[in-house]
Amino acid sequence: MSKVFIMNGPNKGKSHDFESNIAYLGRLPDNEIQIKEDTISRKHLRIQRKEGTFIIRDLNSKNGTFIDGKRIQPGIDIEIKDGAPITVGRVIISLGVETSEELFTTQEIASLSKEFSRTAMFTTFLDRPLTLPKNMDFFYKVSNVLSQSLDINEILKKILDYIFELLKRIDRGVVILVDEKTGEVSSVISRSKEVDEQDSETEHKYSRTVVNKVIETGKPIIMMDTFGQDEANVSESMLIMNVKSVMCVPLISKSKVRGVIYVDSVKIPYGFREEDLSLITALGSPAAIAIENALFYSKQGKIIEEKSRDLKDSENKMRENEKRFRAIFNNMSSGVVVCRVVDDYKDFLILDLNRMSCMLEKVKKKEVVGKSVLDVFPEMRENNLSETFKQVIKTGKPESRLITFSKEGKTIWWRDYYIYALRDDEIVIIFDDITDKKKAEIEQRTLQQQLFVAQKMETIASFAGGTAHNFRNILQAISGNIEYLEAIYGKESEVKEVARNIYSSIDKGVDLINNLLHYSGSGWKMEIENLDLADVINKTYEIIERVFDKKIKIKLELEEDLFVKGNFTLLNQAFINLFTNARDAMPDGGELRVRAKKTEDMIFVYVSDTGCGIKEDLIDKIFDPFFTTKDVGGGSGLGLSTTLGIIKEHKGSITVSSKYGEGTTFKITLPVTKGEVKKEKVALKDKEIVFGSKQKVLIIDDEIPVLKALAKMVNNLGYEVVTADNAAEALMNYKNWSPDLVLIDRIMPDIDGIEGVRKLTEIDPAAKIIIISGYNETSPYEIDEDVKKMIKGYLVKPCNMEELGRNIFQALSK
């Protein structure tokens, strides 16, 4: 008579006889086989005995039926053999005969935290014997990885591979490393049995509560079973990840937790045994030490080691197979010459050479074998390659040499030599004619440098344009508000004086913007006038003298009448850049000396410091855009490139000389100009303002401060004002407002000014529109010709009431 054997759980060791061909297994007493276990459904499984085999069918149970770790589909008949273990809920049964396979052991119930089920299975590490053959094999494989590899990724991946190979019930595994300084997770390596490794959304899934607990306590944790628990008692992460069993052990080195190994099962409960935890825990310290070593050694000379290893492997392979070597030797695209040392390292006789050597050197093999390589190939003697040969023989280490042949100071060809030693005082010389490659590299490098500079300058131009637009908006708001205040309180002399000062500052701001646009190539022409360069240097000195450390002594030695033609603001910026560089080179103090003198045609300015100087290999790079020797955040790398651009724009030149550790001198040369130098600017004239006659003006601008300032200005000009801070609102209400004129900002979100002009003219073909913008009308931001025909004017911010009134009056008159 066939039997059903209960292998674990509350009825462990019991068996049930089949009294008929069909029996039902469940939690209620009306089943032929009753098992009182809360993870088993009331009527869980149908078992049929048929012709010496068993057929089972899951009856839509809540917690499922599993064979070999896989859940069977409810309602489908499955034929199984005698003794095969079947998992019903969390109870394991065997049909016909008792199973001979190793089964799970029930663990003592313990609570990890409030976030986990009160009936979840947890246990801490218990000493277990680890001498099973498969365990010994596991330790042998892992110890090989830990002792032989210094690649951190290889170590972590191999550890996971061997754990997955050993523990068949694992579905997911993660190795997590902890940053020693911050305590944060710094690296995660994961593996999953069924999920595609390329699916990034499924990587690195683990219970943070378990991991954090292990990192905090330094003790391993195993959760044998969460299957069938009340969802209210199971942590959110466990529910989301559908975890059935969890095991997590710390990686400990020098009494510190360096990380954890985390594995779980999402298919069946009792995914791990108590001895599994002991096994994985035993890996903790050696794995942590190996990881530390790998992280340390990965920072050391990997490239050199890899190349040396590759070379050694190549040599071994060549020695092992002479026939293969000969085929490769004779068909190589590089020239190869084998030589033997003679006459106490004074000479090297040719033993063999391949076809390519004969072709490159235009010699015949039979005529040169046995002769001195230095006589057959004179370029080797001329470039003293014999010393390299000796070095290779004595040290056994390979050497590389690049040899050029020049005629009349011009390089004719390049040869790349690689020399290594064989046994018995023999050397191999491998060489290539890389003339075409070198010429192509030089040409490509030149083009790349040109492209790199062009891209950087394009970035500067884009930045300059955006900065100019935003700055002009700010100046427009300031200008509009001060004109409004002047219109109300302008009769008071104090207000008038303050207004003039503010206007002067606005003019300087506009001048600064224009200079920036000019340097970035954004289409603005700088204002040129006759200047006394001594005035520029003195003004610059007045600025830096107040802000430089008093440990830096500044000396000016300036001749009189240093007349040049140029832009005061740009030249001032150039000297500020040079003085600031000098200050940064003297953190502990020193002397900044500025000398200026002139000849009949040229003015020479020397800016010298006693600072740290510039290394010789960096001298040629200091004027490159974005090049800097300062720490990150210490400088943009644009100071000297900007200075170079300004000096060149003034038809001058700048050079540098420096001695590392002693100081640096910049020499500026500018052409002398003839003519008077303006000492004072012409006094401001009274404004000639044109007023309106209550016409309605619609103002559209997304910058609220600018919009309000423009509204006040237009209102003071005698016009009725309607405002909108976006073009969509203006288009919607245009017909209701019926404005006589529209002032529209050019750059706005959603609908910009250009698109706004087109839509306004669609609504009202006779609309009179003026664009007002922080961008110039001409430049890389130039508007289309069809838009120019639709508008009556273009104003660049900041504009004053005089300019605004005149443009509005002219637009209304057209």
Side-chain angles (χ1 to χ4, degrees), residues 711-726:
K712 292 175 182 178
M713 293 171 69
V714 174
N715 188 261
N716 285 340
L717 287 169
Y719 298 98
E720 181 183 345
V721 177
V722 181
T723 62
D725 61 9
N726 64 84

Side-chain angles (χ1 to χ4, degrees), residues 311-320 322 325-326 329 336-341 345 348-349 351-352 389-399 418-430:
L311 177 60
K312 188 174 180 180
D313 291 343
S314 298
E315 291 176 358
N316 291 336
K317 289 178 182 177
M318 290 176 68
R319 293 192 184 100
E320 290 170 1
E322 175 62 25
F325 162 75
R326 181 55 58 182
F329 180 76
V336 182
V337 181
V338 182
C339 299
R340 183 177 65 242
V341 179
Y345 297 98
F348 304 86
L349 299 184
L351 299 179
D352 201 356
F389 298 161
K390 294 176 184 177
Q391 183 72 10
V392 169
I393 289 292
K394 290 179 178 179
T395 65
K397 295 181 179 179
E399 294 282 347
Y418 181 75
I419 305 102
Y420 65 90
L422 296 177
R423 62 185 178 182
D424 299 328
D425 288 340
E426 294 180 0
I427 61 171
V428 177
I429 306 165
I430 302 176

Side-chain angles (χ1 to χ4, degrees), residues 548 576-587 612-614 618 622 626-640 666:
F548 275 22
I576 285 178
N577 290 343
L578 292 176
F579 296 170
T580 302
N581 263 24
R583 177 201 63 186
D584 294 342
M586 300 183 289
C612 58
I614 304 169
L618 301 180
I622 62 172
F626 301 102
F627 176 79
T628 179
T629 59
K630 299 174 183 176
D631 295 335
V632 176
S636 65
L638 288 173
L640 289 179
F666 287 90

Side-chain angles (χ1 to χ4, degrees), residues 172-441:
R172 294 184 300 228
V174 185
V175 179
I176 302 168
L177 302 183
V178 179
D179 189 281
E180 184 178 357
K181 294 181 179 179
T182 65
E184 298 293 328
V185 171
S186 61
S187 177
V188 180
I189 299 293
S190 64
R191 176 179 166 178
S192 175
K193 270 187 179 177
E194 297 183 354
V195 179
D196 186 351
E197 292 182 358
Q198 302 300 320
D199 185 359
S200 60
E201 294 183 359
T202 61
E203 293 180 354
H204 311 333
K205 286 188 175 180
Y206 57 90
S207 170
R208 297 186 183 277
T209 306
V210 171
V211 168
N212 290 341
K213 187 69 175 180
V214 172
I215 292 174
E216 178 183 350
T217 63
K219 296 181 180 180
I221 289 175
I222 186 170
M223 183 176 72
M224 298 296 291
D225 182 22
T226 63
F227 204 61
Q229 303 302 312
D230 187 348
E231 292 185 359
N233 294 326
V234 179
S235 70
E236 184 178 352
S237 63
M238 307 292 275
L239 291 173
I240 292 173
M241 296 188 294
N242 194 31
V243 173
K244 299 296 187 299
S245 303
V246 176
M247 184 165 58
C248 186
V249 300
L251 301 173
I252 298 176
S253 173
K254 298 177 183 178
S255 302
K256 293 184 179 179
V257 177
R258 308 298 185 184
V260 300
I261 299 175
Y262 171 99
V263 294
D264 64 21
S265 172
V266 297
K267 293 180 179 178
I268 59 173
Y270 296 102
F272 314 112
R273 304 176 182 84
E274 188 176 309
E275 53 266 30
D276 295 338
L277 182 64
S278 302
L279 182 68
I280 304 304
T281 301
L283 290 178
S285 292
I289 293 171
I291 290 169
E292 275 194 299
N293 290 338
L295 290 173
F296 174 77
Y297 283 108
S298 65
K299 299 176 183 178
Q300 315 299 316
K302 278 187 176 180
I303 297 177
I304 296 176
E305 293 176 6
E306 290 174 1
K307 286 187 176 180
S308 298
R309 188 165 54 251
D310 291 343
L311 177 60
K312 188 174 180 180
D313 291 343
S314 298
E315 291 176 358
N316 291 336
K317 289 178 182 177
M318 290 176 68
R319 293 192 184 100
E320 290 170 1
N321 196 329
E322 175 62 25
K323 187 179 283 189
R324 181 177 299 168
F325 162 75
R326 181 55 58 182
I328 295 172
F329 180 76
N330 283 324
N331 290 282
M332 286 181 65
S333 60
S334 300
V336 182
V337 181
V338 182
C339 299
R340 183 177 65 242
V341 179
V342 296
D343 198 12
D344 195 23
Y345 297 98
K346 292 179 181 179
D347 206 353
F348 304 86
L349 299 184
I350 298 174
L351 299 179
D352 201 356
L353 70 166
N354 68 352
R355 294 190 188 101
M356 184 55 66
S357 299
C358 297
M359 291 175 59
L360 291 174
E361 297 292 350
K362 296 180 175 55
V363 297
K364 292 182 179 180
K365 181 174 180 178
K366 62 181 180 180
E367 295 177 355
V368 299
V369 170
K371 293 184 178 180
S372 168
V373 70
L374 301 177
D375 293 336
V376 174
F377 306 126
E379 67 273 7
M380 294 187 184
R381 186 185 298 276
E382 293 170 6
N383 288 275
N384 202 25
L385 268 181
S386 60
E387 292 301 319
T388 305
F389 298 161
K390 294 176 184 177
Q391 183 72 10
V392 169
I393 289 292
K394 290 179 178 179
T395 65
K397 295 181 179 179
E399 294 282 347
S400 296
R401 285 282 302 276
L402 180 65
I403 292 178
T404 60
F405 178 75
S406 302
K407 188 175 182 180
E408 296 178 356
K410 186 176 182 180
T411 300
I412 304 301
W413 52 251
W414 284 265
R415 291 275 173 85
D416 191 10
Y417 285 84
Y418 181 75
I419 305 102
Y420 65 90
L422 296 177
R423 62 185 178 182
D424 299 328
D425 288 340
E426 294 180 0
I427 61 171
V428 177
I429 306 165
I430 302 176
F431 63 98
D432 291 284
D433 187 330
I434 58 172
T435 303
D436 293 338
K437 179 182 177 182
K438 275 292 181 182
K439 289 179 178 179
E441 285 178 356

Side-chain angles (χ1 to χ4, degrees), residues 637-694:
L638 288 173
L640 289 179
S641 64
T642 301
T643 301
L644 175 63
I646 292 172
I647 299 302
K648 283 186 176 181
E649 188 64 33
H650 286 77
K651 304 187 186 310
S653 64
I654 181 170
T655 59
V656 61
S657 61
S658 182
K659 191 168 184 181
Y660 189 63
E662 295 185 11
T664 303
T665 296
F666 287 90
K667 177 185 175 183
I668 297 173
T669 305
L670 293 168
V672 171
T673 188
K674 309 295 183 183
E676 294 184 6
V677 175
K678 295 181 181 179
K679 296 295 183 180
E680 296 181 359
K681 290 191 175 183
V682 179
L684 294 172
K685 297 179 180 179
D686 291 335
K687 297 177 182 178
E688 297 177 358
I689 298 176
V690 181
F691 292 92
S693 303
K694 296 297 182 181

Side-chain angles (χ1 to χ4, degrees), residues 434-482:
I434 58 172
T435 303
D436 293 338
K437 179 182 177 182
K438 275 292 181 182
K439 289 179 178 179
E441 285 178 356
I442 292 171
E443 182 178 355
Q444 183 182 20
R445 189 160 53 248
T446 301
L447 292 174
Q448 286 176 338
Q449 289 174 347
Q450 292 173 352
L451 176 62
F452 183 60
V453 171
Q455 289 173 335
K456 287 183 176 180
M457 294 310 297
E458 183 180 349
T459 301
I460 295 173
S462 176
F463 169 75
T467 301
H469 172 262
N470 294 330
F471 198 16
R472 281 173 170 164
N473 271 329
I474 295 170
L475 293 179
Q476 181 63 65
I478 296 172
S479 176
N481 282 295
I482 195 60

Side-chain angles (χ1 to χ4, degrees), residues 68-128:
D68 293 332
K70 295 183 179 179
R71 184 169 183 168
I72 67 174
Q73 186 175 350
I76 302 299
D77 288 342
I78 305 295
E79 183 175 341
I80 62 171
K81 63 182 180 179
D82 288 358
I86 304 170
T87 304
V88 184
R90 59 183 174 191
V91 174
I92 299 175
I93 65 173
S94 177
L95 303 181
V97 297
E98 292 187 73
T99 180
S100 60
E101 295 189 20
E102 295 183 29
L103 297 178
F104 304 107
T105 58
T106 305
Q107 302 294 325
E108 184 180 3
I109 297 176
S111 175
L112 173 65
S113 70
K114 295 180 180 179
E115 298 187 36
F116 290 104
S117 168
R118 287 175 297 175
T119 57
M121 296 295 181
F122 288 94
T123 183
T124 55
F125 170 69
L126 297 174
D127 291 332
R128 288 282 177 173

